[in-house]
Amino acid sequence: MRRAHTVAQVRDAEAVLMRSLPEGALMQRAASGLAHAVLDLLDGGYGRRVLLLVGSGDNGGDALYAGCALLRRGSQVAAVLLGGSHHEEGLAAFRAAGGRVVVDVAGEPRPDVVVDGIVGIGGHPGLRPPAVAALAAVAGVPVVAVDVPSGVDVDTGELDGPHVVADVTVTFGTHKVAHLVGPAAGACGAVHLVDLGLDLPEAPVEALQAADVAALVPRPRPEDHKYSRGVVGVRAGSETYPGAALLSVAGAASGLVGMVRYVGSAADQVRAAHPEVVGDGRVQAWVVGPGGGDEAADQLAAALATGVPVLVDADGLAHVRPGQAAVLTPHAGELARMLGTERDAVEARRLEHARRAAEEYDAVLLLKGRHTLVVAPGGRTRVTTTGLPWLATAGAGDVLSGVIGALLAAGLDPWDAASVGSWLHGAAATLAAGDGPLVASDVAATLPAVVRSLR
């Protein structure tokens, strides 16, 4: 499990650890990890030009001590001091090691890498003009951020004003919320974690990894039969959008349950494509809404009347009321309509709006996106880090709804079903796409291979 903690949690854990270590030992650990990450990016240090952008906080100290290590490896290291005061011991060590402090970035030879030590995890979103100017002077040079890209909101993943866009972020002790939650996650690049040995509490945000998914995916027991493995029902599609029914059923019929039932106006098309799918009957969960159009309200009412967990997506979201659904799966535009706000507001503050909707609708809320959020009432959050941009294709959400519905029917609780389903969906897209495009049906067809790979 990849866990992301808040600034306050990290600060408290660091304070406890520092009481048991010699003064400065924690910063030296961080600086060593940072230096090694820079060396990996450069494929060695000898003769390389490194520019440190150094702010007044501890991240500036980390950058300066990392600069000392890089100087010892033969790099040419210069530092630009931004802000008022700076880490005195780190600056003295940097100068003693042969590092140069410069003022005019534009007058320096173009560096091979820039180390962003401008603002630490306690900083506010946005950057001051001198930092913006320094970054502009080295635009196009690879950037390694210290802990987080400077200028992002660490605890929310929000962006407000100028900020660093890093190629690599080296973080210490634990991941921070901004590493996982968009839009800030998109500014982090590849995230490298340096373990500091912190004793941390439960994380408010986490991301499943392959081993976690393998442990959660339901697998049939020797004594199981098709009914005991779970039966999922799909009420989706319409005369106008029969394809949504086919895709939702394809996701549901990927082998995760013993039986799939379909009820709707696209029954003939569904049976032709999926002869193993049967008609109405008893189920353990329903999927409602994809492509439902004018039929979505009746589809939802019929599913709710059965008393089993219901996943609501797409057209069904316009008709759902608080307390009715187990899982809701909107994209940003749909969530904006559910909350009576604008799509831009949801995209800018994804975590805030997803948590608000989970509370208001008393359901697990899955907010689709590059880093999909799965939020339970109470605020507990999982982030899906599988997937790739090619997954932004028509019908992909219909497949996702079927996968999650199947996992609900197989016995996972809504929280696990939504987060495991989202992980599998993203992993299947990555496997199906390779280096090129894909369509939604490719994702459904690849799901069994992803599940097999987890063994």
Side-chain angles (χ1 to χ4, degrees):
M1 189 80 71
R2 184 177 295 172
R3 295 176 171 85
H5 291 82
T6 65
V7 172
Q9 289 176 318
V10 173
R11 292 296 196 213
D12 289 346
E14 286 178 341
V16 171
L17 181 59
M18 283 192 290
R19 287 197 289 269
S20 65
L21 295 173
E23 185 176 355
L26 202 60
M27 182 170 286
Q28 291 294 341
R29 288 184 189 178
S32 176
L34 174 60
H36 279 92
V38 173
L39 291 168
D40 285 344
L41 180 65
L42 295 174
D43 194 24
Y46 188 79
R48 303 287 190 163
R49 297 185 182 275
V50 180
L51 179 66
L52 312 178
L53 300 181
V54 179
S56 57
D58 285 347
N59 277 33
D62 295 335
L64 289 165
Y65 279 119
C68 295
L70 294 168
L71 285 161
R72 291 192 293 270
R73 297 294 292 267
S75 298
Q76 302 175 49
V77 187
V80 177
L81 304 182
L82 301 167
S85 60
H86 300 89
H87 194 279
E88 293 183 6
E89 293 83 358
L91 184 56
F94 176 72
R95 283 182 161 135
R100 295 185 305 116
V101 175
V102 300
V103 176
D104 184 7
V105 179
E108 289 293 305
R110 193 164 179 80
D112 297 302
V113 68
V114 172
V115 176
D116 160 32
I118 304 169
V119 180
I121 61 174
H124 298 291
L127 293 174
R128 294 177 178 175
V132 174
L135 288 164
V138 292
V141 177
V143 177
V144 177
V146 183
D147 224 353
V148 291
S150 293
V152 308
D153 191 308
V154 181
D155 279 348
T156 67
E158 297 170 13
L159 300 175
D160 185 11
H163 59 87
V164 169
V165 178
D167 296 271
V168 177
T169 297
V170 182
T171 193
F172 311 115
T174 180
H175 290 85
K176 317 308 186 287
V177 176
H179 297 137
L180 299 182
V181 174
C188 293
V191 180
H192 174 67
L193 176 64
V194 176
D195 185 13
L196 299 179
L198 300 180
D199 183 11
L200 291 155
E202 182 177 354
V205 176
E206 59 191 29
L208 296 178
Q209 303 300 292
D212 307 308
V213 175
L216 288 168
V217 168
R219 298 187 182 277
R221 302 161 298 182
E223 65 272 21
D224 271 334
H225 49 78
K226 62 187 177 183
Y227 295 110
S228 64
R229 287 190 58 207
V231 181
V232 61
V234 178
R235 292 180 179 269
S238 60
E239 296 287 348
T240 308
Y241 304 110
L246 291 167
L247 291 167
S248 292
V249 167
S254 53
L256 295 169
V257 287
M259 181 182 291
V260 179
R261 298 184 181 275
Y262 175 77
V263 181
S265 58
D268 289 343
Q269 294 99 314
V270 168
R271 280 195 294 268
H274 303 281
E276 70 276 13
V277 175
V278 300
D280 199 3
R282 188 173 179 179
V283 301
Q284 280 74 55
W286 282 105
V287 174
V288 174
D294 294 337
E295 301 171 31
D298 291 339
Q299 292 172 349
L300 179 60
L304 292 173
T306 65
V308 300
V310 178
L311 176 147
V312 184
D313 184 34
D315 294 328
L317 295 168
H319 307 285
V320 73
R321 299 293 176 262
Q324 291 183 326
V327 180
L328 304 172
T329 59
H331 57 57
E334 291 164 339
L335 184 58
R337 290 190 289 274
M338 292 166 63
L339 295 175
T341 188
E342 299 297 321
R343 180 175 188 141
D344 287 349
V346 173
E347 294 283 23
R349 301 188 300 279
R350 291 175 56 82
L351 184 58
E352 173 191 325
H353 286 91
R355 284 176 168 170
R356 175 184 158 194
E359 288 297 322
E360 290 190 9
Y361 283 85
D362 191 24
V364 169
L365 191 290
L366 181 149
L367 176 57
K368 299 169 188 173
R370 177 63 186 90
H371 278 198
T372 290
L373 299 180
V374 179
V375 181
R380 188 181 178 197
T381 303
R382 278 181 179 157
V383 184
T384 302
T385 56
T386 57
L388 72 176
W390 291 114
L391 189 51
T393 186
D398 303 333
V399 174
L400 174 62
S401 66
V403 176
I404 297 173
L407 292 167
L408 279 171
L412 292 189
D413 64 42
W415 163 254
D416 284 334
S419 48
V420 170
S422 180
W423 191 98
L424 292 172
H425 183 256
T430 301
L431 181 60
D435 294 326
L438 79 164
V439 294
S441 55
D442 296 334
V443 180
T446 310
L447 280 162
V450 171
V451 176
R452 285 195 296 274
S453 74
L454 294 173
R455 300 181 72 112

